[in-house]
Amino acid sequence: MSRKTTRPQEYARQARKFVRDYTQGLDPQDFRRLFDQDAVHAYKVLSRDQPEGSEPTEGAARFFHRARIFFLGLSYKLTPARRLLFAGSLLVALAGLAMPELVISGERGRFTLDFSPLWFVAGLGGLVWLLALELVDRVRVRDELEVARQLQRDLLPHSSPALAGYEFAHSYRTANEVGGDYYDFQRLPDGRLALLMGDASGHGIAAGLLMAIANATLKTAIDVDPEPLAVARLLNRALVRTGDRRAFMTLCYGVLDPPSGRLDLVLAGHPFPLLRRAGGAVEELGSGGLPLGMRAEVDVERISVVLEPGDLLVLYTDGLPEAVNGPAGSAFGFERLKQLLGPAAGPAVLHDRILMEFDRHVGRELLADDLTLVVVARLEPAVSAASAPA
């Protein structure tokens, strides 16, 4: 025999379900971030276009100074029509709070009329309407960014190259919806493999557009002449011709000859690749250089190295070693990355070990820069023969 649900019980059940659905995915750390990191970031963004001036040191004067900067910064980020709606709604709401009661005397006595709640609700309604308009704009931009993000994913490799005697592990993370990191594997007609990795200046939409330009240019350059220096020169010309001083990117481009293991590399301002030898020694490949797009003449470093059986090559962007674990925290660091290469492991295990330590280091901090990691391993002959298709 089932018990009949009363109306108050049904209302309570619906209320619990609403609260559960409304707070789904809420993390206390995310809520705390609203009042420390997000608040500081919001104030910096809203105040960056306001005229600079000396900030008062006293508490009350400092508060009103920052409140004025915040109000003006927020107002001037809106369109003129929405700016007027914002200011008018605030004035109406404040007028409602300050409006005195209206007392009317007549033959039947005194009547008190209080219009302040109506004015306050009207002002609040205007602010809610403004919030809805801004939210709709944000949803539209988010949808467009999701399309751009999907297009960017299509430019990146979806699988590892099938190359006898070699194994690969790779991943890509973006700090924003659209990232500026780029990597790819491209088989050449003569059987060699081109390894590409780049990092466009900045991150976000601008870096993503620069990354798309670099992708098209690199593919054309490889078709024309896949040799590392020729590819770097052509990409440099394309970036310089944009005429934008911010249009520069780091590049790590190499051509691998699978039978011999010879790898010819060019580095242009890119973090030094790390080569872990079969015996455990770790070598840095590189010594310096400027990114491409900064000057008409190419300033790249050319390196030749041989991957012996059992060696692993680690390529990465600066989002890995430069990630910090808080506003005043320490960076992940190059030395930590080198230490992680020490224990013997295959490319997939080493790749996961690095990212696991990276996640442990940054904790719940949001990514400040894009991160790309590629591990290339030349297999021992016995392993290679065992993994070869029959």
Side-chain angles (χ1 to χ4, degrees):
M1 181 176 179
S2 61
R3 297 177 57 187
K4 185 176 181 180
T5 303
T6 63
R7 183 168 296 180
Q9 289 175 329
E10 178 63 21
Y11 288 158
R13 186 190 66 81
Q14 293 179 1
R16 287 193 299 269
K17 183 178 182 303
F18 172 77
V19 172
R20 184 172 60 252
D21 293 342
Y22 201 80
T23 58
Q24 184 177 9
L26 177 64
D27 190 309
Q29 296 294 332
D30 294 336
F31 190 76
R32 179 183 60 83
R33 189 180 288 116
L34 290 175
F35 300 96
D36 47 29
Q37 298 180 27
D38 291 351
V40 173
H41 179 68
Y43 182 79
K44 288 181 179 179
V45 171
L46 294 176
S47 62
R48 65 187 178 191
D49 295 329
Q50 298 303 308
E52 297 183 0
S54 58
E55 184 175 270
T57 56
E58 298 181 1
R62 185 181 183 185
F63 171 79
F64 285 110
H65 172 81
R66 290 192 171 185
R68 181 179 66 85
I69 294 296
F70 181 83
F71 173 78
L72 292 177
L74 182 60
S75 298
Y76 284 102
K77 292 295 185 293
L78 302 171
T79 63
R82 294 182 184 181
R83 192 183 308 154
L84 184 61
L85 174 62
F86 175 60
S89 299
L90 280 179
L91 290 175
V92 169
L94 293 175
L97 293 175
M99 181 178 292
E101 296 179 344
L102 180 63
V103 179
I104 303 177
S105 300
E107 297 179 356
R108 298 184 179 182
R110 296 163 61 87
F111 299 92
T112 301
L113 299 178
D114 186 4
F115 292 100
S116 58
L118 296 178
W119 283 70
F120 180 77
V121 170
L124 184 62
L127 293 175
V128 171
W129 174 239
L130 177 62
L131 176 63
L133 294 175
E134 291 293 317
L135 184 60
V136 168
D137 288 347
R138 179 177 177 179
V139 170
R140 289 175 176 172
V141 172
R142 186 190 64 188
D143 292 344
E144 293 176 359
L145 286 176
E146 183 57 35
V147 173
R149 186 174 188 173
Q150 184 57 49
L151 291 174
Q152 188 177 59
R153 287 197 196 104
D154 293 340
L155 298 178
L156 299 175
H158 300 288
S159 60
S160 299
L163 195 63
Y166 292 83
E167 284 187 359
F168 300 81
H170 48 93
S171 63
Y172 176 79
R173 297 182 183 180
T174 59
N176 301 91
E177 286 82 357
V178 179
D181 280 7
Y182 172 74
Y183 78 104
D184 199 4
F185 311 103
Q186 190 165 336
R187 293 297 296 269
L188 303 180
D190 58 8
R192 294 182 298 170
L193 179 71
L195 305 173
L196 303 91
M197 182 175 290
D199 183 2
S201 56
H203 51 269
I205 298 176
L209 291 174
L210 189 59
M211 177 269 222
I213 295 173
N215 169 73
T217 305
L218 284 168
K219 283 181 167 31
T220 301
I222 292 174
D223 288 340
V224 174
D225 185 352
E227 295 309 313
L229 187 56
V231 170
R233 284 173 173 167
L234 200 155
L235 178 58
N236 186 69
R237 286 200 299 271
L239 295 176
V240 170
R241 286 173 181 172
T242 63
D244 190 339
R245 291 179 297 176
R246 296 168 298 180
F248 61 89
M249 67 177 295
T250 69
L251 176 69
C252 175
Y253 171 78
V255 177
L256 173 67
D257 179 54
S260 66
R262 178 184 173 88
L263 177 66
D264 295 319
L265 276 173
V266 291
L267 293 175
H270 198 83
F272 305 146
L274 298 177
L275 177 60
R276 195 201 75 191
R277 293 296 186 180
V282 178
E283 302 175 11
E284 278 190 354
L285 305 181
S287 59
L290 293 176
L292 299 179
M294 301 191 71
R295 56 176 62 176
E297 295 298 324
V298 174
D299 181 18
V300 297
E301 184 178 10
R302 288 173 285 183
I303 302 169
S304 292
V305 67
V306 176
L307 301 185
E308 302 290 351
D311 291 349
L312 288 97
L313 178 70
V314 180
L315 309 175
Y316 55 95
T317 55
D318 58 9
L320 175 61
E322 295 179 3
V324 296
N325 55 354
S330 60
F332 185 80
F334 294 94
E335 290 304 318
R336 188 198 303 251
L337 180 57
K338 289 181 183 178
Q339 292 172 5
L340 292 172
L341 270 59
V349 174
L350 178 59
H351 171 275
D352 294 346
R353 177 198 298 162
I354 293 173
L355 291 186
M356 187 180 301
E357 183 64 23
F358 175 86
D359 292 335
R360 185 181 296 112
H361 173 75
V362 298
R364 302 196 64 84
E365 291 295 318
L366 299 177
L367 282 181
D369 197 3
D370 307 320
L371 185 158
T372 302
L373 177 63
V374 174
V375 181
V376 182
R378 186 177 185 187
L379 304 179
E380 298 281 1
V383 176
S384 178
S387 60

